[in-house]
Amino acid sequence: MRIATYNTSLFRRAAGALLADLATPDNRQARNIAEVIQRIDPDILLLNEFDYVPDSPGSPSCVDLFRANYLEAGQHGQAPVRYPYAFTAPSNTGVPTGLDLDGDGAADGPRDAFGYGEFEGQYGMAVLSKYPVDAARARTFRYFRWQDMPGNLMPADFYPEPARAVLRLSSKSHWDLPVSVPGLMLHVLASHPCPPFFDGPERRNQRRNHDEIRLWADYVAGGARAGYLYDDAGGAGGLAAGERFVVMGDLNADPRDGRAWPGAVRQLLDHPLIQDPSPASAGAVEAARLQGGANVRHLGDPRLDTADFGRATGNLRVDYVLPSRNLAVAGAGVFWPRSGEPGAELTGGFPFPTSDHRLVWVDLALP
């Protein structure tokens, strides 16, 4: 069974714009994204930066249109792929707090929302699956308040007290989606923490990114360590002991390079219940060499890079599929072909014709 995460960059600058783009079958970016997905053919797929648009009765959603017009239509000779099951839900992005969070004297900007966004749902998420998603048992943590995490890294003197009291931890949302696959129940733990950029000396985004990642580290540990957590329906605690899970998404944190808070993603990579299959590609090595720039100073293995952020930042490993240790890994990879290989035209550089991220996948051997 193949599990994948893909930051698609299918976000738009205005509410409803993605819906309009996906209503026709000829949007170039959406076709490229669909072709990448068809080439890898995952069984369960998380899409990051896929705008959330609330369903309108009698009208197709963004997820419906992307499946019907792009995934279920062969792109450039690829076989169609079908996902009978899908899950999406509201995001904190663009949801106004009514407070001046960034200290610019106004309370109506994208940085004043619970999660950065120019409109509600920008940079949202969706999960597509060939296996049933038990939406009735799904847990979401969109409303969990940052201050309710013990030992949190919220900057002490940056946010005014009214903001500290209401600010949510998740910049988009955190989802625990039970998926019924042959022989087991798999918990898909999906999220997209904020990037550790665009802040000041208080390092509020670096701190928030760390704690968004920490939520999953505590959640899968369960027991007393997760006792402080509460979901949007009021349920308390984390996963039960022995559950099988996969933590996945664009976590916006490289273990060695970039600007993430020290140790942010190592909370998962070094977790006793989590394994790291280290998906890699030869194309990432070639790209780092040809691009130069910040890549020359990077300490991490370029084989593991999953995103191309241009010469100034370089290529980083920020997208992850991390199974629990009680699952058997049969393979892993990053869709990053070398120059001249099939599909190389679907990656490109920065600015990007498809996405600045690459699809990351892990194969699991089912019992």
Side-chain angles (χ1 to χ4, degrees):
M1 180 178 64
R2 180 162 288 179
I3 314 292
T5 187
Y6 194 8
N7 181 323
T8 64
S9 296
L10 283 171
F11 65 90
R12 297 297 183 259
R13 297 300 182 189
L18 180 62
L19 195 68
D21 282 349
L22 298 181
T24 66
D26 54 5
N27 180 270
R28 179 191 173 196
Q29 184 195 15
R31 292 193 66 189
N32 288 347
I33 293 293
E35 182 178 346
V36 172
I37 294 169
Q38 290 169 353
R39 285 176 176 272
I40 302 302
D41 192 18
D43 297 293
I44 300 173
L45 171 65
L46 168 62
L47 304 177
N48 286 135
E49 293 195 1
F50 188 92
D51 286 349
Y52 172 78
V53 179
D55 291 345
S56 177
S59 300
S61 66
C62 282
V63 170
D64 294 333
L65 292 172
F66 186 56
R67 286 187 292 184
N69 290 337
Y70 292 92
L71 295 176
E72 295 174 8
Q75 305 295 337
H76 300 106
Q78 299 302 308
V81 60
R82 292 176 174 81
Y83 293 101
Y85 307 98
F87 181 91
T88 190
S91 170
N92 279 329
T93 49
V95 177
T97 63
L99 301 168
D100 178 15
L101 297 183
D102 59 1
D104 67 352
D108 57 355
R111 290 184 176 85
D112 300 317
F114 283 108
Y116 179 89
E118 298 172 81
F119 59 88
E120 292 190 25
Q122 189 180 33
Y123 312 110
M125 305 191 299
V127 169
L128 305 178
S129 178
K130 297 180 182 179
Y131 300 108
V133 178
D134 190 347
R137 293 179 54 205
R139 300 182 70 186
T140 64
F141 294 84
R142 189 163 71 100
Y143 298 136
F144 179 83
R145 297 186 302 173
W146 194 356
Q147 71 168 9
D148 292 338
M149 172 179 278
N152 64 73
L153 296 183
M154 186 188 298
D157 301 318
F158 182 77
Y159 295 112
E161 189 54 41
R164 295 179 63 84
V166 301
L167 190 60
R168 300 170 186 173
L169 173 60
S170 184
S171 54
K172 285 83 178 176
S173 190
H174 286 64
W175 299 341
D176 173 359
L177 306 181
V179 180
S180 299
V181 302
L184 59 90
M185 178 67 75
L186 180 70
H187 290 265
V188 172
L189 307 182
S191 64
H192 183 193
C194 71
F197 294 91
F198 316 115
D199 49 18
E202 82 293 335
R203 302 168 72 185
R204 66 188 185 277
N205 290 331
Q206 291 177 322
R207 294 167 180 269
R208 187 178 188 180
N209 173 272
H210 173 281
D211 284 355
E212 287 196 69
I213 294 172
R214 179 189 153 189
L215 186 150
W216 285 140
D218 293 347
Y219 186 75
V220 302
R225 181 170 166 182
Y228 69 90
L229 288 168
Y230 53 86
D231 61 35
D232 295 338
L239 277 182
E243 295 283 5
R244 295 176 174 89
F245 62 84
V246 177
V247 180
M248 57 198 300
D250 173 6
L251 302 184
N252 269 316
D254 184 288
R256 304 193 68 184
D257 303 305
R259 293 186 56 190
W261 191 268
V265 79
R266 297 238 67 98
Q267 298 176 102
L268 300 178
L269 300 181
D270 298 337
H271 199 291
L273 298 179
I274 296 174
Q275 57 182 316
D276 177 16
S278 298
S281 72
V285 178
E286 177 192 54
R289 176 178 56 82
L290 294 177
Q291 187 181 72
N295 292 292
V296 175
R297 301 185 297 274
H298 282 181
L299 303 175
D301 186 344
R303 296 182 315 113
L304 306 180
D305 289 341
T306 68
D308 177 353
F309 293 129
R311 283 176 54 85
T313 300
N315 303 336
L316 299 173
R317 183 187 186 191
V318 294
D319 305 271
Y320 297 87
V321 179
L322 302 172
S324 54
R325 288 193 175 274
N326 54 6
L327 290 167
V329 172
V334 178
F335 182 78
W336 200 328
R338 289 176 294 185
S339 299
E341 292 184 336
E345 71 282 359
L346 299 172
T347 55
F350 187 93
F352 45 89
T354 303
S355 173
D356 49 350
H357 293 252
R358 309 293 179 253
L359 184 148
V360 179
W361 54 268
V362 169
D363 286 343
L364 302 176
L366 297 180

